Amino acid sequence: MKSNNEKNPGISRRTFLYSLGALALSGCDGGISAPVTPGSRATSRVSTSGITLAHVANGAADVATSGAFAHPGLLHTQADFDRMAQKVAAQASPWYDCWNVLIANSHARLSWSPRPQVEVDRGGSGAQNYPVLYGDIAAAYASALRWKITGDTAYADKAVQIMNAWSSTLQILGGDSNVDLAAGIYGYEFANAGEIMRGYSGWAAADFAAFQTMMRDIFYPINVDFLNRHNNTDITHYWANWDLCNMASIMAIGVLCDDHTLFDQAVNYYIDGAGNGAIAQAVYYMHPGYLGQWQETGRDQGHNTLGIALGGAICEMAWNQGIDLYGYDNNRFLAGAEYVAKSNLVQADGTYLTVPYVSYTNVDVTQPGFSTASQGTIRPCWALVYNHYVNRKGLAAPWSTKFALAIQPEGGGGNYGTASGGFDQLGYGTLTCTRDAVTPATAPSGLTAFPSAGQVVLSWWGVAGGTSYNVKRASSSGGSYTTVASGIADPLTYTDNPSAGTWYYVVSAQTATGESSNSAEVVAVTALQLHTYLTFDEASGTSAADATGNGHTGTLIGGATRAAGHSRNAVSLDGSSGYVSLPGNVVADISDFTIAAWVFWNGGNAWARIFDFGAGTGRYLFLTPKSSSGLMRFAITTNGGHGERAINGNVALPTGQWAHVAVTLSGTTATLYLNGNVIGGSTDMVFAPWRVGPAAQNWIGRSQYSGDPYFHGSIDDFRIYRGAMSTDQITALVQGS
């Protein structure tokens, strides 16, 4: 992995997070099922107790675990080892095939001699001796596996010898910024070896404590410092894998050391950290059919596939402690895995399948297309993905399944058998992860439906063994349903073309035993529908009622008062502290939209906001009366300022007078209006409000960026619609309001 700096108990914790994902998919009152994700944080934020589902969904609290950890409880549990031992003893395929790969590896032999170092360096001008460390880790892990599967204590003693040698010798990890990779990758791997051995009677308590101290005092400080500071770079500078490996290390050390603070840090960063390794950024863009474009897709496929290996390790370690990160945000990790697997699995004729792609921009680069560099890279990560989703959960994961079966039995310790690569993974997944299949899911799950330019785009997760899928539509909730499409096999998506109205959808699967039950129902609105309407006509008080009855009440904050408006009253904002706050997630279930208002601007510096809805400086949509160019600008992003898709108006917002502003989105076409006239547009607006995700900071008159000025002036008749108004409808709105 190259340096980024190169140019080129109650309810179970698992049930809790699964429920959080289910809440996001329960069907909304206006069209789509949108991801629910807590707000951004650095790992230094202390976890709180008394956590509730609503708190997490609105970003108000961290996930906080408590009670005893399961041991062994990282990548493998005792039940896993019991299964491995039974399958190997029975010489059952494919477990026994992978066992033979393990025992043939030089790292799994009793002749291995550890080579502990006082200092290990990765990067910089000094000696690059980190291969000595990862070689010994591979040997410790392989020996630990051999002991747990056969009971041969000679291998247990070998693993303990290696770990004691390092814990009594290592004092520092050094080098340049690549030390962050060393601390992350080798940290989570070494902690896993230690976790396997912790119950061995031949490992003296003092020696185990010394190993824990090494992990906590030498590896962890580098891990947590990286996630908190990213070496003082722009948050988009480092690729997802840098975050992921450090999250994995923190999580593993937390379990090894029975420290919930560390474990919770990793879980919370995965859920909604600011960096690219947090799952909302790692799976950068969700294409129809739940093909989740991984953040490093435009870089190269070697790094892209590593993301799946690291993300899978995090999910499995969390799962074994009762946290379902696999299922979080409607199986967002699986979407990323399926995308990466599909695009890297070589076909019989030596070619690769194509996958959809949207351009990606960070502080350093713009990547306009899918990178074929290192395409076809094989890493021993697919057995874990396949066996969790298919053989543990009963879902369909066709591309991860094909990849896993194509490369088994894979090795480890730098010798993956049919797989290539180094020591970034522990390997042997066919042996350690393969499990007998459970009964398939009874119906497709995770159905979403969102309007796009008058159409409805549906996506869903299939069932293990499903051969095709049927899409059904009704005009009222609960049916009766009419089948509008059948025989859908891959990808699992369908675009419907209903007339304007409110439509209800379900999906069923065809299996070898017949048709499955229907999925949960979702609703999509293809007619123009008023979603939020703030007239600001109240004579006093801090509440601004939502005239639609949808409960999207605004709250006047700071220097926000009442004043004469374009029609009756308006809210007057003082340009210093005044703004209006709307409820959390107010636009999280909206795709196509119209946002319109009457605005009286007193003028001022650039980057004030007419509105700004978001979750901080990484994910938002806003309209400013004046950008640095002096012109109006609308933008939306899921990757901070560098990733904004924007409309730059061609005129300035006038000052000292009432003006009507509006912005619409229909599919990928966005249009900006001033007084009913088009002043700018874009046909490449691939983001919609639901892609921003849940947002607790939904403001009229205030920016997500603390350094931006507050709006100075008055705002009246603030409206949000589902659906994009036409130019004629915007004109009529201006004339009639």
Side-chain angles (χ1 to χ4, degrees), residues 340-411:
V340 174
K342 184 174 184 178
S343 58
N344 282 279
L345 183 60
V346 64
Q347 303 303 293
D349 62 359
T351 63
Y352 297 95
L353 297 172
T354 59
V355 290
Y357 181 88
V358 297
S359 64
Y360 172 80
T361 299
N362 62 24
V363 66
D364 302 307
V365 297
T366 293
Q367 295 168 333
F370 179 94
S371 173
T372 59
S374 302
Q375 191 171 16
T377 292
I378 298 174
R379 292 183 183 273
C381 59
W382 300 107
L384 183 149
V385 177
Y386 155 57
N387 278 282
H388 174 78
Y389 289 105
V390 179
N391 289 340
R392 186 186 263 159
K393 300 298 292 182
L395 302 179
W399 299 107
S400 299
T401 299
K402 289 179 180 179
F403 219 125
L405 298 181
I407 67 173
Q408 70 179 26
E410 72 277 47

Side-chain angles (χ1 to χ4, degrees), residues 251 263 267 313-325:
M251 180 177 286
F263 181 82
V267 169
I314 290 169
C315 289
E316 183 68 13
M317 291 188 295
W319 175 270
N320 287 330
Q321 296 301 331
I323 297 288
D324 187 10
L325 296 182

Side-chain angles (χ1 to χ4, degrees), residues 436-524:
D436 294 320
V438 298
T439 301
T442 58
S445 58
L447 176 64
T448 56
F450 63 87
S452 179
Q455 300 177 314
V456 178
V457 180
L458 299 106
S459 300
W460 61 92
W461 292 112
V463 302
T467 55
S468 67
Y469 296 84
N470 312 304
V471 177
K472 306 173 187 180
R473 182 184 68 212
S475 58
S476 59
S477 180
S480 58
Y481 299 107
T482 299
T483 299
V484 295
S486 60
I488 299 171
D490 179 72
L492 300 187
T493 181
Y494 177 71
T495 300
D496 193 26
N497 290 277
S499 59
T502 300
W503 302 101
Y504 300 85
Y505 293 90
V506 294
V507 174
S508 66
Q510 293 297 140
T511 71
T513 58
E515 185 178 6
S516 76
S517 302
N518 289 333
S519 69
E521 180 184 81
V522 295
V523 60

